[in-house]
């Protein structure tokens, strides 16, 4: 056999092996049909054939030099054919700079060890991409390795789908766990009052029960019946909301009268939770003589009562305030504010989900079905409103029921001419207000507007430090719970520089601990919000005068 015939047979064997190997790579029907019909041609003729395979493919010779790449490979890495000149070594290809991949390619070329690897190409397309890379050997009929092939498939969509499936699975498992916890809790919440009712009714039937005992047993039966009725109502309400069968009956309601009515009826929660030391109060802008809104009165009261009930559960001391604010003369926000334990940020959304409570354990110390806030949010949606909240651990919570475009009539009181308040002249005074609450900050600016003082404002503690050094103010009014650096830390930093500037702090809830910390930090005066206009002005004036001596 001459050299030409030997070379021809060698090429035929190489072509046959290449075709056979490609057929094993993927199961795409189109690619299989295409490759099945390939004629026997030299390997250099296979470029146009590989262009129709839905994968990025590169062939490498025995020395590791890049030979043929299909269109998918060229487009993926945005390269030109100059790279494929038979002189560029695969290890010098800039996109294959991943250490693990480079090592696997070297093992393929040097030791004929095939590989199957997954990785990302940060410099290619989407930064979150994911590819499957396989390195294989092309073997002749004589069982000799004649070249290598790199096959790259984009598996980004598959990985995203897998991730979504895992998330969906986790959510399904969590939902199942919550339902199990709910059923367990509900069983306890129903069986407990039922056991009380049944047990004490049997005691009431006894002949030797005294009048005092009969009254005590009757009270227990009554309170247990109320608890049981509440649980049943919760189940009925959530079922109606879920099935769209809850009716909404809107009517004109006087918001001021409704607020007072809710306040009076909420006293039952104070008795229910045995919290005589928690002050229950209400608040609204008394400049309004009449505020009429269009809403479902029954459902609105139920939502606010749910807020108040929860507030008493988690508030041991301090106060619970019910009120409303008006925005743009057409929207109203009812709120319930407490000085309770607060709620961690991670629970701010989940507490509104069905069956969800901050503590779902079997050993939790606070009862309830876990449906109250879910029902409230569902009812708020039916009223074309929404529920929002603000809370901080150790500082209490505020829940809002926001009803946009619900005001149908708004009247203010007729101005009464009275002797004007004392006017303070602070034209040469600079006041630094350190307050993150936009409403509170604007209120202080309005109160101080007629004094002639220069007002500068900081939203965070570190910004307050910077503005203090830049402006050298005469007095600082600071929110005790200022973000980043609170009032006590601010005072320590300022006092460490031997500054005697007056510092007046405000807090939502004043405790003995806060008073002691403030005193040690060097805060001159601390007031409890909401601060009345005259109180604020008088205290500022006293502090400014005292700082002169």
């Amino acid at each position: 056999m001459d050299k030409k015939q030997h070379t021809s047979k060698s090429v035929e064997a190489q072509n046959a092996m290449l075709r056979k190997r490609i057929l094993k790579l993927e199961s795409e029907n189109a690619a299989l049909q295409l490759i099945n019909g390939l004629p026997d041609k030299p390997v250099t003729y296979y470029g146009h054939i590989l262009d129709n395979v839905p994968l990025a493919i590169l062939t490498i010779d025995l020395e590791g030099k890049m030979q043929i790449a299909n269109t998918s490979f060229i487009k993926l890495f945005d390269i030109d054919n100059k790279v494929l000149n038979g002189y560029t070594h695969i290890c010098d290809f800039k996109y294959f700079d991943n250490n693990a991949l480079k090592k696997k390619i070297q093992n393929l070329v040097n030791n004929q060890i095939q590989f199957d690897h997954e990785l990302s190409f940060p410099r290619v397309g989407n930064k979150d991409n994911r590819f499957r890379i396989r390195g294989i050997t092309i073997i002749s009929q004589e069982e000799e390795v004649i070249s290598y092939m790199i096959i790259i498939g984009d598996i980004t969509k598959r990985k995203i789908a897998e991730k979504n499936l895992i998330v969906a699975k986790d959510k399904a498992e969590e939902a199942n766990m919550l339902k199990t916890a709910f059923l367990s809790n509900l069983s306890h919440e129903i069986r407990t009052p039922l056991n009380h009712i049944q047990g004490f009714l049997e005691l009431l039937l006894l002949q030797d029960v005294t009048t005092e005992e009969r009254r005590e047993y009757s009270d227990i039966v009554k309170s247990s019946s109320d608890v049981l009725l509440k649980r049943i109502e919760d189940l009925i309400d959530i079922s109606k909301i879920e099935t769209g069968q809850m009716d909404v009956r809107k009517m004109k309601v006087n918001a001021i009268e409704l607020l007072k009515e809710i306040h009076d009826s909420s006293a039952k929660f104070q008795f229910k939770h045995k919290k005589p030391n928690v002050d229950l109060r209400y608040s609204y802008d008394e400049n309004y003589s009449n505020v009429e809104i269009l809403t479902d009165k029954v459902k609105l009261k139920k939502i606010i009562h749910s807020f108040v009930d929860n507030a008493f559960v988690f508030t041991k001391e301090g106060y619970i305030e019910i009120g409303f604010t008006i925005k743009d003369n057409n929207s109203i926000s009812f709120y319930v504010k407490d000085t309770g334990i607060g709620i961690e940020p991670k629970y701010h959304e989940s507490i509104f989900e069905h069956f969800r409570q901050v503590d779902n354990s079997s050993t939790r110390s606070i009862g309830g079905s876990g449906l109250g806030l879910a029902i409230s949010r569902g009812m708020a949606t039916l009223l074309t409103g929404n529920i929002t909240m603000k809370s901080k651990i150790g500082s209490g919570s505020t829940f809002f029921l926001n009803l946009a475009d619900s005001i149908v009539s708004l009247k203010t009181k007729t101005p009464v001419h009275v002797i004007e308040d004392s006017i303070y002249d602070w034209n040469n005074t600079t006041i630094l207000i350190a307050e993150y609450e936009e409403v509170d900050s604007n209120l202080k600016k309005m109160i101080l507007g007629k004094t002639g003082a220069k007002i500068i404002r900081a939203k965070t503690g570190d910004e307050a430090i910077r503005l203090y050094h830049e402006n050298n103010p005469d007095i600082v009014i600071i929110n005790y719970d200022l973000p980043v650096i609170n009032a006590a830390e601010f005072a320590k930093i300022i006092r460490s520089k031997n500054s005697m500037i007056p510092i007046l702090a405000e807090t939502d809830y004043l405790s003995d601990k806060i008073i002691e910390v403030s005193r040690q930090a060097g805060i001159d005066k601390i007031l409890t919000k909401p601060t009345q206009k005259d109180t604020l002005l008088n205290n500022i004036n006293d502090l400014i005068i005292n700082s002169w001596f």
Side-chain angles (χ1 to χ4, degrees):
M1 182 182 295
D2 61 22
K3 185 176 180 180
K4 186 176 180 180
Q5 289 176 324
H6 177 75
T7 301
S8 176
K9 286 192 176 183
S10 238
V11 169
E12 289 174 4
Q14 188 175 358
N15 293 344
M17 290 300 103
L18 179 60
R19 263 207 334 276
K20 183 179 179 183
R21 199 62 179 166
I22 292 175
L23 281 170
K24 291 181 180 180
L25 295 181
E26 296 292 335
S27 60
E28 287 92 343
N29 290 332
L32 290 174
Q33 291 175 5
L34 176 69
I35 297 170
N36 274 328
L38 289 179
D40 290 335
K41 288 188 177 291
V43 69
T44 52
Y45 286 21
Y46 273 91
H48 72 286
I49 302 297
L50 297 179
D51 286 343
N52 292 282
V53 177
L55 297 164
I57 296 176
L58 172 71
T59 61
I60 307 170
D61 66 16
L62 292 176
E63 294 179 1
K65 293 176 181 177
M66 300 167 65
Q67 288 186 310
I68 300 172
N70 66 351
T71 302
S72 296
F73 188 95
I74 292 171
K75 286 183 178 179
L76 177 63
F77 297 108
D78 191 24
I79 60 174
D80 56 41
N81 289 320
K82 292 179 181 179
V83 177
L84 308 170
N85 53 17
Y87 297 103
T88 303
H89 196 279
I90 186 66
C91 290
D92 296 328
F93 187 53
K94 66 179 181 179
Y95 291 99
F96 290 174
D97 56 357
N98 180 281
N99 290 333
L101 176 61
K102 187 175 288 189
K103 187 174 180 180
K104 289 181 181 296
I105 292 175
Q106 287 173 343
N107 277 334
L108 174 67
V109 175
N110 298 332
N111 305 312
Q112 290 78 53
I113 299 176
Q114 302 183 104
F115 66 87
D116 193 334
H117 186 60
E118 290 185 8
L119 54 67
S120 297
F121 288 124
R123 291 184 287 180
V124 174
N126 187 342
K127 65 178 181 179
D128 297 321
N129 60 38
R130 199 70 182 167
F131 293 89
R132 180 185 179 188
I133 305 179
R134 284 160 288 180
I136 63 172
T137 57
I138 304 299
I139 302 174
S140 67
Q141 289 181 339
E142 288 80 16
E143 299 298 323
E144 293 179 353
V145 175
I146 56 176
S147 63
Y148 307 101
M149 183 176 286
I150 303 294
I151 306 105
I152 303 174
D154 189 343
I155 58 172
T156 305
K157 291 182 179 179
R158 192 189 82 194
K159 287 295 180 181
I160 292 173
E162 288 175 358
K163 184 178 180 180
N164 291 339
L165 281 173
I166 292 171
V167 171
K169 173 178 170 290
D170 291 343
K171 284 186 176 180
E173 289 177 349
E174 182 186 24
N176 186 56
M177 179 190 70
L178 290 173
K179 287 180 180 179
T180 301
F182 165 72
L183 291 174
S184 176
N185 293 339
L186 188 64
S187 175
H188 170 76
E189 295 292 332
I190 290 178
R191 287 178 181 274
T192 299
L194 273 177
N195 289 337
H196 292 167
I197 294 169
Q198 185 177 11
F200 284 98
L201 282 177
E202 289 179 359
L203 291 176
L204 284 170
L205 295 175
L206 298 176
Q207 298 297 324
D208 57 347
V209 178
T210 65
T211 303
E212 187 63 31
E213 289 174 332
R214 191 175 297 278
R215 184 180 297 110
E216 181 185 354
Y217 298 164
S218 297
D219 288 343
I220 292 173
V221 170
K222 173 66 169 62
S223 62
S224 297
S225 299
D226 291 340
V227 171
L228 182 59
L229 180 60
K230 180 65 170 63
R231 298 294 169 259
I232 294 172
E233 285 178 347
D234 284 350
L235 288 173
I236 293 172
D237 284 344
I238 199 68
S239 297
K240 284 184 175 180
I241 291 171
E242 289 294 313
T243 57
Q245 295 180 359
M246 181 170 280
D247 296 327
V248 176
R249 299 174 183 176
K250 290 189 176 183
M251 62 182 74
K252 287 185 179 181
V253 180
N254 186 308
I256 297 174
E257 292 179 0
L258 177 62
L259 178 63
K260 294 177 180 179
E261 185 180 326
I262 292 173
H263 171 264
D264 293 341
S265 60
S266 293
K268 64 185 178 183
F269 298 115
Q270 190 174 32
F271 176 78
K272 168 187 172 184
H273 296 290
K274 300 177 182 178
K275 300 286 181 70
N277 296 325
V278 178
D279 182 32
L280 178 63
R281 62 198 193 195
Y282 68 89
S283 174
Y284 68 95
D285 188 341
E286 294 185 0
N287 288 322
Y288 295 108
S289 60
N290 184 60
V291 181
E292 281 194 343
I293 59 176
L294 188 65
T295 190
D296 187 317
K297 181 179 179 180
V298 174
K299 290 177 178 57
L300 192 152
K301 284 181 66 176
K302 197 160 190 174
I303 293 170
I304 304 302
H305 277 157
S306 177
F307 292 168
V308 176
D309 193 8
N310 280 340
F312 271 109
V313 170
F314 297 103
T315 304
K316 293 182 179 180
E317 58 183 9
Y319 67 87
I320 294 171
E321 181 178 291
I322 311 168
F324 67 76
T325 58
I326 292 171
K327 183 179 180 182
D328 300 330
N329 292 334
N330 62 1
S331 301
I332 189 168
S333 288
F334 288 88
Y335 68 86
V336 174
K337 180 180 181 180
D338 66 60
T339 56
I341 61 176
I343 302 171
E344 290 185 58
K346 65 180 180 180
Y347 295 119
H348 284 192
E349 278 301 318
S350 63
I351 58 173
F352 292 99
E353 297 174 6
H354 297 357
F355 324 125
R356 177 77 77 165
Q357 292 174 309
V358 172
D359 182 5
N360 270 311
S361 67
S362 59
T363 57
R364 62 200 175 97
S365 58
I366 296 171
S369 63
L371 290 174
L373 288 175
I375 292 171
S376 295
R377 175 167 278 187
M379 287 184 175
T381 302
L382 291 173
L383 298 179
T384 62
N386 62 60
I387 292 175
T388 55
M389 68 167 292
K390 293 193 303 182
S391 186
K392 184 179 179 182
I393 290 293
S395 299
S397 305
T398 306
F399 285 80
F400 301 89
L401 170 61
N402 309 300
L403 301 174
D405 303 320
S406 59
I407 296 177
V408 293
S409 177
L410 189 65
K411 295 180 181 178
T412 56
K413 292 180 179 179
T414 303
V416 178
H417 295 286
V418 296
I419 299 174
E420 291 188 3
D421 296 334
S422 300
I423 302 298
Y424 293 98
D425 182 7
W426 296 333
N427 278 304
N428 298 319
T429 303
T430 300
I431 300 176
L432 170 57
I433 298 175
E435 174 61 72
Y436 67 93
E437 290 281 359
E438 201 69 31
V439 175
D440 288 352
S441 174
N442 291 336
L443 178 61
K444 287 181 179 62
K445 288 180 180 179
M446 291 174 63
I447 292 173
L448 298 170
K450 294 181 180 180
T451 66
K454 177 184 176 182
I455 308 297
I456 53 177
R457 184 224 176 164
K459 296 181 180 180
T460 61
D462 55 347
E463 185 182 9
I465 295 288
R466 178 176 60 80
L467 291 177
Y468 166 81
H469 290 300
E470 291 176 357
N471 296 273
N472 192 26
D474 299 287
I475 186 171
V476 177
I477 304 172
I478 186 169
N479 186 319
Y480 189 84
D481 296 312
L482 200 65
V484 185
I485 299 174
N486 66 20
E489 293 299 322
F490 172 89
K492 287 179 183 178
I493 294 170
I494 298 303
R495 298 302 184 218
S496 69
K497 303 181 184 301
N498 297 319
S499 172
M500 299 304 293
I501 183 174
I503 301 175
L504 188 156
E506 290 181 303
T507 180
D508 291 323
Y509 175 58
L510 188 60
S511 66
D512 293 338
K513 182 179 179 181
I514 290 177
I515 293 173
E516 181 59 21
V517 171
S518 300
R519 185 188 64 79
Q520 292 179 1
I523 294 174
D524 299 285
K525 187 73 177 180
I526 185 161
L527 303 176
T528 304
K529 290 184 178 182
T531 308
Q532 298 299 318
K533 174 185 174 183
D534 290 340
T535 302
L536 180 64
L537 291 173
N538 290 338
N539 276 278
I540 293 173
N541 193 58
D542 290 345
L543 289 171
I544 290 175
I545 292 173
N546 289 335
S547 69
W548 294 344
F549 299 98

